[in-house]
Amino acid sequence: MTAWRQAIELSIGDADLAALRAIARSRTEPAIRVERARMLLAYRENPSFFAVGQAVGVHHQTVQRCVERAVAHGPLAALDDRPRSGKEPTITAEAKAWLVSLACRKAKELGYPHELWTTRLLARHAREHGPAEGHPCLAKLVQGTVCKILNEQEIKPHKVRYYLERRDPEFQQKMAEVLCVYREVKLIKETAAAAKQEPSDAVAILSYDEKPGIQAIANTAPDLPPEPGRHATFARDHEYKRHGTVSLLAGIDLLTGQVHALVRDRHRSREFIEFLNMLDAVYPAVTAIKIILDNHSAHVSQETKAWLAARPEGRFRFVFTPKHGSWLNLVEGFFAKAARSVLRHIRVSSKHELKQRIMEFIHDLNRDPVIHRWHYQLDTAL
């Protein structure tokens, strides 16, 4: 006759009890851990293997093994499977290290036409050359095993993540100069707000840049509008006709939000000087115009310098962003907005129409100007 199963005394501390309750309610923990946590909590309330098994929906022997592990190793340790011997690994640690070191090199360095490894190519190379390097266990290496070994080391030799090397030795100094201009804008606005008046016309501060290569693309077939019950979006033929490109030259007045813009076929020194002439005509003669811009050749050319030299002293002052520091220029946000809202799906019949529609977009913005503000790293300005 089978002996009657004796109840096992299970002691659970407060910390473990709180952890078990959290795991039992969790929706992200593995199901087996949630189930075992419920077993232990139910057994704590009613120390009966049969009753707990029926409540949780498992065999009573499963409950007994879980409780025995909790008594022997602790309640939280009982939630995980005990380690098993398993099959001895056939790929040695040295072979894995050799494979990882191989993955950290470029495939082209070993005579392949590929720039980077693919896992299939890496597995083939390891099979062909691993035994000769003292790793016979790699003779039958397959692609899936390569992926597992690389994932263990968090190595992804088939991917590229870009970074930006700072090549401007005066990056910090130039960045501080730009941030000081943004701080000046903030102080001017705060002073005007305290006096309950508009900023004076003593100074105008603009953020300027060019957006070249805006394509004038025409449809070869008409767009089909959305139709309820058939298709929800506009339908457009894949073929198109290209009429060329235009460049948008734009500057945002950081005190008023006004956008000054030109759309031209190119963005050489003569177009930049045309933009400066426009600013010279827009602002009063007593206004000092300060412009934040990058180091494009048109901004520092002999033609531009000669034009500036002919202006009254103090009329224009350029503040250059550092090389690879275009993110410091507020006008880049305006260009991103234009690309998303107007230029992304635009279709025109000619370059002239494209220029007109871009300028209509600028005029529409200037009806209700948005004052752009810079906040990031402003406190670091010297």
Side-chain angles (χ1 to χ4, degrees):
M1 181 177 179
T2 305
W4 187 263
R5 288 181 174 83
Q6 299 292 329
I8 300 175
E9 182 177 353
L10 177 62
S11 177
I12 302 178
D14 294 339
D16 290 341
L17 185 61
L20 288 174
R21 287 171 175 167
I23 294 172
R25 296 191 300 267
S26 175
R27 294 186 178 184
T28 58
E29 288 279 350
I32 188 63
R33 286 174 56 83
V34 174
E35 183 180 80
R36 289 170 180 172
R38 292 174 57 199
M39 289 183 205
L40 297 179
L41 292 173
Y43 186 83
R44 179 176 177 272
E45 299 296 330
N46 181 13
S48 168
F49 301 137
F50 289 94
V52 172
Q54 290 179 351
V56 178
V58 297
H59 196 274
H60 63 84
Q61 291 181 351
T62 302
V63 179
Q64 182 177 352
R65 288 194 294 269
C66 181
V67 173
E68 289 173 350
R69 287 201 302 271
V71 173
H73 306 289
L76 298 182
L79 304 183
D80 300 314
D81 292 331
R82 287 176 293 183
R84 301 174 183 177
S85 58
K87 183 181 178 181
E88 289 293 331
T90 56
I91 300 180
T92 64
E94 292 78 8
K96 291 182 179 180
W98 178 79
L99 183 67
V100 170
S101 66
L102 195 67
C104 292
R105 301 173 60 186
K106 287 189 174 183
K108 69 174 186 177
E109 297 177 2
L110 298 174
Y112 293 100
H114 309 67
E115 179 74 12
L116 303 177
W117 291 107
T118 65
T119 50
R120 188 183 302 276
L121 177 63
L122 186 58
R124 191 185 79 188
H125 183 87
R127 288 195 301 269
E128 294 175 354
H129 301 278
E133 295 290 335
H135 308 294
C137 56
L138 298 178
K140 297 183 179 180
L141 183 68
V142 296
Q143 181 184 6
T145 306
V146 171
C147 294
K148 292 179 182 178
I149 295 174
L150 297 181
N151 286 338
E152 290 174 358
Q153 302 297 324
E154 298 183 355
I155 297 294
K156 301 181 184 299
H158 58 289
K159 292 187 176 182
V160 174
R161 173 177 289 181
Y162 289 92
Y163 76 101
L164 186 61
E165 182 181 352
R166 290 186 176 179
R167 295 183 174 87
D168 192 338
E170 299 178 351
F171 188 95
Q172 294 295 334
Q173 177 184 344
K174 293 179 180 178
M175 180 179 70
E177 291 177 0
V178 174
L179 296 181
C180 282
V181 175
Y182 290 144
R183 175 175 288 181
E184 180 183 354
V185 172
K186 181 180 179 181
L187 293 176
I188 292 174
K189 291 177 182 177
E190 291 176 349
T191 302
K196 297 182 180 180
Q197 60 185 14
E198 293 296 323
S200 70
D201 57 1
V203 62
I205 302 176
L206 290 90
S207 174
Y208 169 85
D209 202 0
E210 299 96 359
K211 183 175 179 61
I214 303 174
Q215 297 191 77
I217 296 177
N219 285 336
T220 57
D223 288 342
L224 303 180
E227 186 175 341
R230 296 192 64 182
H231 48 84
T233 66
F234 275 93
R236 175 171 287 171
D237 188 81
H238 289 280
E239 293 187 5
Y240 59 86
K241 183 177 180 181
R242 191 169 181 269
H243 292 294
T245 61
V246 300
S247 295
L248 171 60
L249 294 77
I252 301 177
D253 190 316
L254 301 182
L255 295 173
T256 66
Q258 197 78 10
V259 179
H260 304 281
L262 292 175
V263 183
R264 297 292 182 263
D265 291 340
R266 301 174 68 180
H267 58 290
R268 300 161 297 177
S269 297
R270 66 182 66 179
E271 285 81 17
F272 181 55
I273 292 174
E274 182 182 358
F275 182 86
L276 295 178
N277 272 316
M278 180 181 65
L279 296 182
D280 199 24
V282 167
Y283 289 98
V286 296
T287 301
I289 303 174
K290 190 177 297 185
I291 305 177
I292 300 172
L293 69 173
D294 61 22
N295 292 273
H296 189 273
S297 59
H299 306 161
V300 294
S301 66
Q302 295 298 326
E303 296 91 333
T304 301
K305 291 179 179 179
W307 186 90
L308 291 173
R311 306 272 72 76
E313 185 177 357
R315 176 61 166 170
F316 285 91
R317 180 195 164 196
F318 290 173
V319 179
F320 293 102
T321 59
K323 189 174 183 180
H324 292 168
S326 60
W327 56 273
L328 286 166
N329 206 340
L330 265 173
V331 75
E332 296 295 341
F334 162 74
F335 286 144
K337 178 180 179 180
R340 291 193 305 269
S341 59
V342 177
L343 303 177
R344 184 179 179 186
H345 298 297
I346 195 168
R347 289 292 187 268
V348 294
S349 59
S350 64
K351 289 171 63 174
H352 178 69
E353 181 187 348
L354 178 60
K355 294 177 182 180
Q356 282 187 324
R357 291 177 64 178
I358 293 175
M359 291 308 300
E360 287 174 4
F361 168 66
I362 302 296
H363 296 325
D364 184 65
L365 288 178
N366 287 335
R367 292 191 186 99
D368 187 17
V370 176
I371 298 178
H372 294 68
R373 293 176 174 85
W374 181 274
H375 298 287
Y376 178 65
Q377 288 191 344
L378 188 59
D379 294 335
T380 65
L382 303 176

